[in-house]
Amino acid sequence: MNKYWEEAWINQQFEQYTKTGIDQAEWKASGRATKANPNKEDGVWWAVEGEKMVDSWIQWRSGEHPLTIWEVQPGKPAIELGLTPIWNDIPVQMHIDRVMVNPDGELIVLDIKTGVRTPSSDLQLAFYAAGMEDILGIRPRYGAYWMARTGQTSELIDLDYFSKDSIIEMVTKFDQARKAELFIPNLSHCIMCGVKDQCKYKRKG
């Protein structure tokens, strides 16, 4: 096992335990049980596959492609870029995995995903673009997902469809619904929901 991966893996487990107080034996495994992985994607699975994903990232970064990591300022690469724009008195905290730049100088928001499926929604990337526009005064036009299981990026997504004003409107309406305790279940996400055991709308079986 790569010593850097091993150190990061151990540190992350300790950090999660410290943060939650939940013993590792009680952690829920992700994914579905299969013949190859009867215990789902548990800690043993992630210890092996997670290292492969890190290796894929290293190979992708060192391979032949036109993207480089953008620097917010000289010597400060846009890695885990933390921003907290305040929209209508609502702070929105975000951490952008990477901001890349192509040879034409165009910025691309890159979100790293470890799941099986490429996200069907572009909204997360649009939030990041609006946050950068608000805090840094520069707006990436494009976004993409880097899929750790394949080691490849998704197609570029044009984020100009979502204006900053439309994102602020969404945040405002969500905050109004939250304060009114109007929570609408998203039944397509039951498998990954942390409160599904308390939800009367959850899928059966």
Side-chain angles (χ1 to χ4, degrees), residues 8 23-24 31 48 70 76 121 125 131 155 160 178 188 203:
D23 189 86
Q24 187 174 351
V48 175
W70 178 63
K76 185 181 178 181
S121 171
L125 302 175
E155 293 184 0
D160 279 354
R178 179 186 64 83
S188 65
R203 289 186 176 187

Side-chain angles (χ1 to χ4, degrees), residues 137-186:
I138 185 169
R139 179 184 173 88
R141 178 178 177 181
Y142 298 105
Y145 295 104
W146 186 81
M147 305 305 296
R149 301 192 190 211
T150 64
Q152 300 296 324
T153 59
S154 66
E155 293 184 0
L156 285 181
I157 301 162
D158 191 332
L159 302 178
D160 279 354
Y161 175 79
F162 299 94
S163 68
K164 187 178 78 169
D165 287 343
S166 68
I167 295 295
I168 293 174
E169 182 180 13
M170 290 183 195
V171 169
T172 302
K173 289 182 176 179
F174 176 81
D175 190 61
Q176 291 170 346
R178 179 186 64 83
K179 290 176 178 176
E181 297 187 354
L182 298 175
F183 303 114
I184 300 174
N186 186 341

